[in-house]
Amino acid sequence: MSTERRAVCPGSFDPITNGHLDIIERASRLYDTVYVAVAINRSKAGLFTVEERIDMIREATAGYGNVRVESHQGLLVDFCKEREIPAIVKGLRAVSDFDYELQMAQMNHGLTGVETLFVPTSPTWSFLSSSLVKEVAGYGGDVSHLVPELVFRRLTARIAERRADQQGKS
C-alpha cells in the first residue's frame, strides 16, 4: 500500500459547481492526491458529455496542484481499489443527504474496507446542486455566482444550443 495519502471525490458533476469545488479544495489540503471521479451513467443523458465535464473540472482545479480527474463506470470501490485509494470524501448539504450517504458508506466499507469521510458543505453552498443550477439557468436565471466562470460560459452556450435545436424542430 502506498504511503501517499489518497482520497476520491466522486460525482456526476453535470456541471461542477462552487459547492463541489469547496469540497474538492478542502480535500486537497488534507490529502497528497485527490482524485475526482466523474461517474459514467449511460442510462442518464447529461447536459455535458463526460469528456466535457472532465475538461471543466481539470480547468477549475488546475490551481490546486494535487487533483487528478478521471471518469469511472461501475462500483466506486473498484475505482478505489485499482488506485489504492483508502478514502472517499463526500460533501453533506443537509440531513437528507446523510441518510443516503450513510448507507452508501456502510456498503462501500463492507465491500472493500474503503472509508468515507463526510465534510459539511459551507453554508454558502448548502442549497446548491447541479440540477438546480441547470434548472435555474434553463429559465434564464443568473447562476454566474454559483459556478466557475468557465462553467458559466459553457452552460449558457449549451442552453442556447439546446433552445436553437428545439426551435429548429418546431
Side-chain angles (χ1 to χ4, degrees):
M1 187 86 166
S2 174
T3 57
E4 179 184 45
R5 294 171 304 155
R6 299 176 182 197
V8 62
C9 293
S12 59
F13 305 105
D14 187 34
I16 191 165
T17 69
N18 290 340
H20 293 128
L21 287 173
D22 173 53
I23 299 301
I24 294 166
E25 190 270 332
R26 289 160 67 192
S28 76
R29 290 185 305 210
L30 298 171
Y31 291 93
D32 298 320
T33 303
V34 174
Y35 289 81
V36 177
V38 180
I40 298 172
N41 186 345
R42 301 277 184 224
S43 64
K44 190 175 176 184
L47 185 61
F48 294 99
T49 67
V50 171
E51 293 76 18
E52 289 171 325
R53 288 182 250 164
I54 288 171
D55 288 344
M56 287 188 284
I57 296 166
R58 283 185 178 146
E59 192 172 334
T61 61
Y64 301 156
N66 63 340
V67 173
R68 296 183 185 177
V69 186
E70 298 180 18
S71 64
H72 89 90
Q73 188 170 9
L75 295 176
L76 181 62
V77 292
D78 291 338
F79 180 92
C80 292
K81 190 175 183 180
E82 291 165 6
R83 292 158 184 81
E84 298 182 341
I85 300 171
I88 299 167
V89 176
K90 299 287 293 205
L92 294 178
R93 295 172 293 195
V95 173
S96 57
D97 286 348
F98 182 75
D99 290 338
Y100 173 76
E101 296 296 347
L102 178 62
Q103 292 175 2
M104 290 297 298
Q106 291 169 331
M107 177 62 79
N108 289 336
H109 187 268
L111 289 171
T112 62
V114 172
E115 296 290 352
T116 301
L117 289 89
F118 297 122
V119 178
T121 302
S122 167
T124 305
W125 311 119
S126 63
F127 66 93
L128 190 54
S129 71
S130 295
S131 299
L132 188 57
V133 165
K134 289 185 288 194
E135 183 175 354
V136 171
Y139 284 108
D142 181 11
V143 296
S144 61
H145 60 293
L146 304 175
V147 296
E149 181 186 340
L150 70 114
V151 173
F152 179 69
R153 287 192 314 268
R154 292 182 189 180
L155 177 63
T156 53
R158 181 59 46 89
I159 289 170
E161 288 170 13
R162 294 251 169 119
R163 279 198 187 114
D165 288 348
Q166 289 173 348
Q167 289 174 350
K169 292 178 184 176
S170 300

